[in-house]
Amino acid sequence: MKKLSVLSVLSAAPCDSMPRLRRGISLRAGWLMVGICAFCGPGVLSSAAQVTAADYQRAQSLRQQYDPAAVFVPETPTWIGTTHRFYYRRSLANGFEFVIVDADTQSKQPAFDHRRLAEALSRATGRAYSGTRLPFTGFTFNDALSAIEMTIEGARWTCMLADYSCRTPDVPPPGDIRRGITGPVRGDIASATPRPRMSPDGKWMAFIDNYNVAIRPFGGDKRTTLSTDGSEGNYYDGASLAWSPDSSKLVAYRIRPGYRRLLHYVASSPEDQLQPEHWASQYAKPGDLLDLEQPVLFDVRSQKQTTIDARLFANPYDMSDLVWRKDGRAFTFEYNQRGHQVYRTIEDDAQTGAARAIVSEEPKTFFYYNRSAATLQAGKRYRYDLADGKEIVWMSERDGWNHLYLVDGATGAVKHQITKGAWPVRHVLKVDEEKRQLWFSAGGMNAGEDPYFQHYYRINLDGTGLTPLTSVRANHTVEFSSDMQFFVDHYSRVDLAGVMELHRVDGAGHRLVAEIEKGDITALVKAGWKAPEVFDTKARDGTTDIWGLVWKPTRFDPSKKYPVIEY
């Protein structure tokens, strides 16, 4: 049975606003959201039901009223390096706080002194902050756990936890041309100066000299030019230089630059000056000439240059970094053809330069080339090389559902399908080569449940031993400790505030250790908030399931008829 949902947004002013509860309750893409409007025109309600200024003021005040009423709602946790400690942010009536948890002892404490950090950031930035209203939503610890780093208004800040001193590196003023959205055309190479690449044995430095690849001994000045065909209109990209593991070979992209289209903008009222501000942003459009990347292989000892036959990657939208096999027998890259209907993993022999496609994905529609992740907005690309490429775990929709396949790295043939069924894999968390197992998330596996709820599973690479890790009928996000001994399960629904549980992996299974956090919406419900109604129905074809939400006005009267807004 097919399952389909549609994401919609409702903006009717007098309907319930979503309070802070949404930090713990995920409104997932794919729902059909239906709003019942309280004043959408004559003919349905009496003409007296007109929009007033008071209606809008009441609607605008709902968030201010509801936000403080949802407390202890946790956000997704982050494990600290290789430790058994993790931290997360949770809501309070007057803001937020960060909490750190020791998985071994289940002890909880503030992640840092919130008041001192607020005072330090207030002094450093010249703005007033409080301990429960810090100007960031996430941070990272440094390796020594002696400092935290966060981004505040686009600037990266570092705060030492010993004395709560905060600093930020100097940010150079923006130039006239900004990179804009990352795309298939590189920026101006005149402003790019990639660092030389040291060989793995530490004896050589590779760099670009007058658009060509050159090397010199480490600490020496005598340079050897390996290529002579580079030019401003067909240059070697220093950022792509990659040494073989034994330091005997180099590979790099030679680039025929595409058309650098600039879109021009004018900010009429910038915050930092009286005059309007102009800038240009690079942005390729359909039909524009894109960068043409050509991998070229160099033998350092013989200075032989081999240009790889481009027939398998003749029309690129994008090509990934060049990555060597650990034994140096070959290097690989991924080719995304313009139009996104061909996506290949290509391996090039280090001795002959011969190219072959290990995997060639050629769907009739398009290949969603963004990397997969634990969100519905992520793509469908996942690849994991086992035993230095002897086998490959590959994600594909070739059977109509997004699943995982085990591919023979030598022949490119599919050995077998790892996951199978009328449900899609969403994301792969980890592959354990020794145990021949992987952990992944998926949706729609449980009959009668919202197919957009994400659950987590473990399975053997031979397709056996499918084991669920989550069971509550909700949308889950699971985070494992680095040694896979613990995982935190964070789940929620539109009618269930976020819950955070700590589990310990126990042999082939797992056990609940403790409930770490549970959102409290008692005051929210008392304030009049009501969760939207969940529904599922059949589409016009009588087969496809459509799941959705119904949002009603705060003063909904079941005896009256209302227009329905669906987007």
Side-chain angles (χ1 to χ4, degrees), residues 277-291:
E277 179 186 8
H278 164 264
W279 74 91
S281 179
Q282 187 173 314
Y283 191 93
K285 290 189 175 183
D288 284 355
L289 185 67
L290 306 182
D291 284 357

Side-chain angles (χ1 to χ4, degrees), residues 90-212:
R90 68 175 184 175
S91 63
L92 302 174
N94 61 342
F96 298 90
E97 69 174 346
F98 291 91
V99 180
I100 193 167
V101 179
D102 188 310
D104 291 316
T105 65
Q106 294 88 64
S107 62
K108 295 167 60 175
Q109 65 184 50
F112 43 76
D113 189 321
H114 291 65
R115 179 187 60 81
R116 289 187 66 186
L117 183 61
E119 292 173 351
L121 288 172
S122 297
R123 289 192 301 270
T125 64
R127 301 193 177 189
Y129 301 116
S130 69
T132 58
R133 297 287 183 183
L134 293 169
F136 56 89
T137 59
F139 67 91
T140 57
F141 282 100
N142 65 354
D143 292 340
L145 306 183
S146 60
I148 59 173
E149 297 180 352
M150 74 289 291
T151 299
I152 301 174
E153 296 183 353
R156 193 68 176 166
W157 285 81
T158 300
C159 295
M160 305 303 296
L161 297 180
D163 58 2
Y164 283 87
S165 59
C166 297
R167 61 180 175 81
T168 184
D170 293 332
V171 180
D176 292 332
I177 297 179
R178 304 179 184 177
R179 170 66 173 167
I181 299 174
T182 301
V185 179
R186 290 164 171 76
D188 185 4
I189 62 170
S191 61
T193 54
R195 293 181 179 180
R197 300 293 176 93
M198 180 180 288
S199 60
D201 61 9
K203 295 180 179 180
W204 297 95
M205 301 295 287
F207 57 98
I208 302 301
D209 180 28
N210 193 28
Y211 308 113
N212 282 287

